[in-house]
Amino acid sequence: MDRDKASYADMLAVLEAKKGDSEQDFKDAFEQLYLYTRQTYQMQHNLRFAWGLTVCGRKVCVIHFGPDRATASPIIDVGTPEGRQALIGLFVNCALCEYAQLGRDPTIRRLDSLNCWEIDCPDDTGDTTGGTVVKYYYSKVYFAADRVFGRHTRCFLAASKMPTVAVSESNPLIPDIIVKDAWAYAHRIPAKDIRDEVKGLRSIDSEFPEGVDTGFIVPRIKAGGRVYFELNGKRVEDNTDTMYGKPPELVEDNTDTMDERPTEPVVDNGDTRYKNLYDPCLFRTHRRIATSPIGEPLAEVKSIAEFVTVVCDVMVFHYELVRR
């Protein structure tokens, strides 16, 4: 394919090839793969994780890019019968595996007849298995993931009702919901998850009931929770355990009853960070939240005075949250 016509939105996996097979060739190939994969994440908003291949001489390496780390396969030497068999087996498995195992998100679907997307938003009110789902519809990404690792936060301006005709310039989708999609750090036991934004928004709802004049705008949660999908005939939570497998220390323990264990802070270049991915109780889980009302981007303010007013409004709301 002509590189000028290649679209990151259509790529299943990025391949970077070098003539040589030295250590430096592999390093250069991986750096290029990293940059291309970043573009792929930005263009594919239904990407859970990404695949890549480096080809250096006759040696092939398969790389899996997850939210926390990149994992490389052993070197496959296609100059040997065993290497060719391994590479062919890889392609066969890719052809036979499930949609989610290719890195795609089965809870986001393209509706070609309506020229828009349908996204499932879990609603965990009284349900912790992801069984209750609210569907929303969007035609473009408001905020795209632009990093290879991390939260992969994406935001969609969505409509709560399915359009009746195809979305177009003359018949645009009228959004009334903001859907935030992210891979956030969380406790493996939901009841102990103090980082849960959904719980926080529900507590705001209870503290500032809808219909009561508070004097300021209150964000309202419409749905939210951890994302679940079907994999190998089972309903699973979309998290890094599903993606990488559970850490060995959790396989030996009973995860449902384990308590949070104290962990020494990790010092990296003088920066002390509390609770990172080495904590066996923490992992990244795929969480989705639908809220209203829809605001305007800060870039739309027309003057410094208007900007200061907006900041003051935000400070008033945050002050009330802290005070109550």
Side-chain angles (χ1 to χ4, degrees):
M1 179 183 290
D2 187 344
R3 177 173 292 184
D4 294 335
K5 297 180 180 178
S7 172
Y8 287 104
D10 300 325
M11 290 186 180
L12 174 62
V14 181
L15 185 149
E16 177 66 19
K18 301 290 183 183
K19 290 183 179 180
D21 60 1
S22 67
E23 184 177 345
Q24 186 61 44
D25 288 323
F26 271 101
K27 181 180 178 181
D28 293 343
F30 178 79
E31 289 178 354
Q32 288 297 113
L33 201 64
Y34 180 92
L35 294 174
Y36 296 150
T37 300
R38 179 176 177 177
Q39 297 293 325
T40 306
Y41 269 116
Q42 190 170 28
M43 296 299 296
Q44 296 187 24
H45 52 271
N46 62 336
L47 194 64
R48 299 172 51 246
F49 58 81
W51 291 103
L53 285 86
T54 57
V55 180
C56 297
R58 65 182 194 181
K59 296 179 180 178
V60 178
C61 185
V62 183
I63 301 174
H64 174 279
F65 290 96
D68 281 329
R69 58 187 180 268
T71 307
S73 72
I75 299 297
I76 301 173
D77 188 348
V78 295
T80 66
E82 294 80 10
R84 291 191 291 272
Q85 181 179 7
L87 188 61
I88 292 172
L90 169 70
F91 293 147
V92 170
N93 283 328
C94 286
L96 297 177
C97 71
E98 296 188 33
Y99 186 73
Q101 292 172 314
L102 293 174
R104 301 304 193 270
D105 189 340
T107 65
I108 300 179
R109 296 167 293 276
R110 174 70 181 174
L111 305 180
D112 290 327
S113 61
L114 295 176
N115 194 31
C116 68
W117 295 79
E118 181 181 66
I119 183 169
D120 294 342
C121 187
D123 193 7
D124 64 5
T125 305
D127 182 6
T128 58
T129 64
T132 305
V133 171
V134 182
K135 299 182 185 299
Y136 297 105
Y137 304 87
Y138 67 91
S139 57
K140 63 180 181 180
V141 182
Y142 188 68
F143 183 82
D146 60 353
R147 296 289 187 274
V148 176
F149 305 117
R151 290 173 60 91
H152 290 167
T153 301
R154 300 171 171 103
C155 292
F156 312 95
L157 297 186
S160 52
K161 294 184 178 180
M162 178 187 288
T164 55
V165 296
V167 176
S168 63
E169 290 186 6
S170 59
N171 184 54
L173 194 70
I174 307 300
D176 58 350
I177 292 289
I178 299 175
V179 178
K180 177 184 176 183
D181 182 278
W183 285 76
Y185 273 129
H187 199 290
R188 283 185 164 83
I189 303 174
K192 296 184 178 182
D193 189 7
I194 62 173
R195 305 160 180 256
D196 192 341
E197 294 174 82
V198 176
K199 290 181 183 177
L201 286 167
R202 294 203 190 284
S203 68
I204 290 174
D205 254 4
S206 62
E207 185 65 40
F208 304 99
E210 197 162 3
V212 177
D213 185 13
T214 60
F216 45 81
I217 296 175
V218 178
R220 300 295 180 185
I221 183 169
K222 302 300 179 181
R226 299 185 179 191
V227 176
Y228 284 72
F229 66 92
E230 297 290 333
L231 182 65
N232 295 325
K234 297 181 180 180
R235 192 162 185 79
V236 298
E237 181 183 321
D238 195 10
N239 54 45
T240 46
D241 282 353
T242 303
M243 190 177 298
Y244 305 129
K246 285 187 178 181
E249 57 266 37
L250 292 186
V251 174
E252 297 172 1
D253 290 337
N254 183 346
T255 313
D256 294 331
T257 59
M258 66 182 295
D259 294 324
E260 188 167 358
R261 307 171 189 173
T263 313
E264 291 297 323
V266 174
V267 179
D268 182 13
N269 297 327
D271 178 24
T272 301
R273 297 170 298 168
Y274 176 71
K275 296 294 184 186
N276 58 24
L277 61 95
Y278 298 106
D279 185 338
C281 291
L282 296 184
F283 66 167
R284 285 193 187 273
T285 187
H286 191 184
R287 186 181 290 134
R288 199 167 282 157
I289 308 170
T291 60
S292 69
I294 297 176
E296 295 181 6
L298 286 176
E300 299 297 320
V301 297
K302 302 297 189 295
S303 66
I304 294 177
E306 185 180 359
F307 178 77
V308 172
T309 301
V310 171
V311 173
C312 287
D313 289 343
V314 173
M315 291 175 67
V316 168
F317 176 57
H318 282 203
Y319 168 76
E320 287 298 321
L321 284 183
V322 174
R323 186 177 70 84
R324 299 191 188 201

